[in-house]
Amino acid sequence: MAAAGLYRTPAVAALGVRGRMALAVEILLDYAPSWRLLRSGDLPAMVRASRSVRRVAPQPAGAEAHELAVRLGAVVGRLLAILPTDSRCLIRSLVLTRMLSRRSLPSVLVIGVQPGPSFAAHAWVEHEGRPVLPKGPFARLLEL
Amino acid sequence: MSADPITSPSLMQMRAQVPDHVVHREFAEETVVLNLKTGYYHGLNLVGGRMLETLGSSPTVAAAAQSLAAEFEQPLALIEADLSEFCQALVERELLALVPAA
């Protein structure tokens, strides 16, 4: 199965065309349940559910693990941005959380805010304490 | 049939608790409060933020009112009225729980 090979591959860049296609399909398949979760409004429940996916690979080692997390974050961001889907930060973060959990990569979903008259909130994902989705100028409010 | 409104005297004898599903952080100009159950953000000005912090660390709402009256050098009755209104607004938004004081 192409997908099984994908999970054993340390870096997305090393994937062939079939591997990239499989990754795109995986993102789209993860998008639907993530979008449904968004409707609940319950942030901790959303993250718990996103982490409850079946793990299909052991955790990659050290730098390789972080490199994979960064590359998956970039692919999720790019793909959801060009597709006619909801590409807001929270759904991007939920999709990526599912994908990282599937690969046994621990992650933290961070909610940040920009206080003041032009209040804004933002969500991103971190792996090993470093953002793997754009963090922006937001102050941390909550880690899930 | 709606529930009885919380009257100020009984409210004052209760203890205010920030529920587990509420996260708040104080910033320079405001306190941001997030209700994790609803996903809604709320902003409190400096006085509101101070009220929330004092309520969370006081044994009763009345004790919080006394502390705030001393801090802001305002009449106790005025602070009690403001704090009562503030508590009810937060309770309506599920940002605060009022429980019997121990």
Side-chain angles (χ1 to χ4, degrees):
Chain A
M1 252 172 75
L6 167 68
Y7 300 131
R8 284 196 293 273
T9 308
V12 176
L15 293 173
V17 173
R18 289 183 67 183
R20 286 171 191 246
M21 287 293 290
L23 193 59
V25 169
E26 182 186 354
I27 292 170
L28 291 174
L29 289 176
D30 278 336
Y31 174 82
S34 300
W35 185 80
R36 278 196 298 272
L37 284 172
L38 270 188
R39 296 162 68 188
S40 78
D42 185 332
L43 287 167
M46 288 179 209
V47 177
R48 272 197 308 275
S50 299
R51 290 205 179 106
S52 67
V53 294
R54 192 167 63 87
R55 292 172 189 220
V56 297
Q59 186 178 351
E64 197 175 86
H66 188 67
E67 185 190 347
L68 177 57
V70 169
R71 286 175 184 275
L72 286 173
V75 173
V76 168
R78 275 203 303 271
L79 189 68
L80 291 185
I82 59 169
L83 291 174
T85 55
D86 182 344
S87 63
R88 283 175 296 176
C89 55
L90 185 53
I91 194 156
R92 270 200 320 257
S93 297
L94 293 174
V95 168
L96 182 58
T97 297
R98 286 175 72 90
M99 296 177 71
L100 294 174
S101 293
R102 190 171 290 123
R103 291 162 175 80
S104 304
L105 290 169
S107 63
V108 174
L109 193 152
V110 185
I111 303 290
V113 293
Q114 210 170 33
S118 54
F119 176 86
H122 180 53
W124 68 93
V125 173
E126 294 185 352
H127 174 259
E128 294 178 346
R130 291 174 282 177
V132 292
L133 282 175
K135 173 181 178 292
F138 293 85
R140 300 173 93 83
L141 178 65
L142 170 70
E143 293 179 1
L144 293 164
Chain B
M1 209 168 116
S2 63
D4 289 337
I6 301 168
T7 57
S8 188
S10 64
L11 182 149
M12 285 294 146
Q13 300 315 313
M14 300 184 95
R15 184 162 62 91
Q17 272 183 340
V18 177
D20 289 342
H21 64 264
V22 174
V23 176
H24 58 97
R25 180 175 164 188
E26 191 182 327
F27 292 94
E29 298 296 326
E30 69 175 321
T31 294
V32 174
V33 186
L34 169 61
N35 184 336
L36 294 172
K37 283 202 315 198
T38 61
Y40 283 113
Y41 296 87
H42 304 263
L44 301 176
N45 63 18
L46 290 174
V47 175
R50 187 74 194 114
M51 282 180 165
L52 182 64
E53 190 183 341
T54 307
L55 282 166
S57 61
S58 301
T60 61
V61 176
Q66 283 178 356
S67 172
L68 289 164
E71 182 178 337
F72 290 104
E73 298 177 346
Q74 293 293 315
L76 180 60
L78 177 66
I79 295 289
E80 283 182 343
D82 285 351
L83 198 56
S84 172
E85 193 180 328
F86 179 73
C87 285
Q88 291 185 51
L90 293 189
V91 168
E92 279 170 20
R93 292 164 177 80
E94 297 184 66
L95 301 175
L96 194 72
L98 294 170
V99 298

